[in-house]
Amino acid sequence: MLYKNPRGIGCHRCHGESGRGLVLGRYKEGNETVVIKGPDITALSYKKFYQALTSTNHKLMPYYFLTNKEIKTLYFYLKAKR
Ligand code: HEC
């Protein structure tokens, strides 16, 4: 529930149904095609996962106001899905 509706846009919209990542779009910059992706978030350490969700300087990903307990819940949810 939290993964799909975390008081904001669902994580699955950018990271995929099971957190394995998703291509969000592509655009051309000169001759290069730039791919915008939500990365795979199933193989991270808890420390990295936690840092990503408590940092405010993402380019694309929104900042969520999640409690430590909620972050832990999300982490184990994704581990269980693997
Ligand atoms: C609007 C799209 C979008 C949504 C929604 C989103 N993310 Fe992300 N997320 C990204 C992108 C893009 C990155 C990589 C670039 C960056 O850090 O901004 C990222 C990075 C991350 C990382 C760090 C990955 C790494 O390798 O360090 C984690 C962890 C993460 N997201 C978890 C989540 C969780 C959990 C949610 C839901 C609460 C969520 N994201 C919602 C787009 C999104």
Side-chain angles (χ1 to χ4, degrees), residues 58-77:
H58 290 289
K59 271 187 286 177
L60 246 131
M61 184 169 140
Y63 178 70
Y64 294 94
F65 296 87
L66 298 169
T67 63
N68 287 353
K69 202 174 165 193
E70 284 172 330
I71 293 173
K72 208 163 235 167
T73 304
L74 281 167
Y75 184 74
F76 287 113
Y77 171 76

Side-chain angles (χ1 to χ4, degrees), residues 24-80:
L24 302 174
R26 292 184 170 85
Y27 65 91
K28 283 246 175 213
E29 201 170 87
N31 292 325
E32 277 178 55
T33 303
V34 183
V35 182
I36 304 167
K37 280 192 287 197
D40 185 331
I41 52 168
T42 58
L44 296 166
S45 66
Y46 182 68
K47 197 170 162 224
K48 273 206 124 184
F49 189 82
Y50 182 87
Q51 271 167 2
L53 286 169
T54 48
S55 123
T56 50
N57 48 26
H58 290 289
K59 271 187 286 177
L60 246 131
M61 184 169 140
Y63 178 70
Y64 294 94
F65 296 87
L66 298 169
T67 63
N68 287 353
K69 202 174 165 193
E70 284 172 330
I71 293 173
K72 208 163 235 167
T73 304
L74 281 167
Y75 184 74
F76 287 113
Y77 171 76
L78 289 169
K79 288 277 165 201

